[in-house]
Amino acid sequence: GSFTPLVFSTSGGMGGEAERLVKKLASKMEYHTGQRYADAVGYIRKRLRFEILRTTVISLRGDRGARKNFVNIDSLDLNLEPQGQG
């Protein structure tokens, strides 16, 4: 294996390798959790963008303590459509 840096812009854009990583992670999430591929891609992109934003803010303002809440990926429902309507 070789090291390949992942390139992200602060406005949410991704380099080619980062996009391939997101697609690979989404495929694995789809397989393991049963969620739709498109929902998994959207979730991963959203989480990455918020983490980039968070680290940008920390670099400007400083850290305000340790994070105490972690997301259990097994319990996530990535389908954002309302249930029970229709």
Side-chain angles (χ1 to χ4, degrees):
S2 63
F3 176 76
T4 304
L6 301 177
V7 178
F8 297 92
S9 73
T10 55
S11 61
M14 291 185 234
E17 286 294 321
E19 189 63 39
R20 282 190 279 284
L21 174 69
V22 167
K23 290 177 181 178
K24 187 170 186 170
L25 288 173
S27 291
K28 289 180 183 276
M29 281 181 69
E30 177 186 32
Y31 177 76
H32 289 288
T33 66
Q35 300 293 330
R36 292 185 343 190
Y37 176 79
D39 293 334
V41 168
Y43 174 77
I44 293 167
R45 286 179 179 163
K46 178 186 73 169
R47 286 298 306 256
L48 284 171
R49 287 176 180 146
F50 274 105
E51 290 302 317
I52 290 170
L53 176 62
R54 187 178 71 82
T55 56
T56 302
V57 169
I58 288 172
S59 70
L60 295 174
R61 296 179 67 194
D63 192 8
R64 303 223 173 165
R67 289 178 46 188
K68 293 179 175 68
N69 58 343
F70 296 95
V71 176
N72 182 0
I73 197 165
D74 294 332
S75 66
L76 288 178
D77 181 14
L78 304 178
N79 188 355
L80 302 177
E81 297 174 9
Q83 298 294 321
Q85 295 182 4

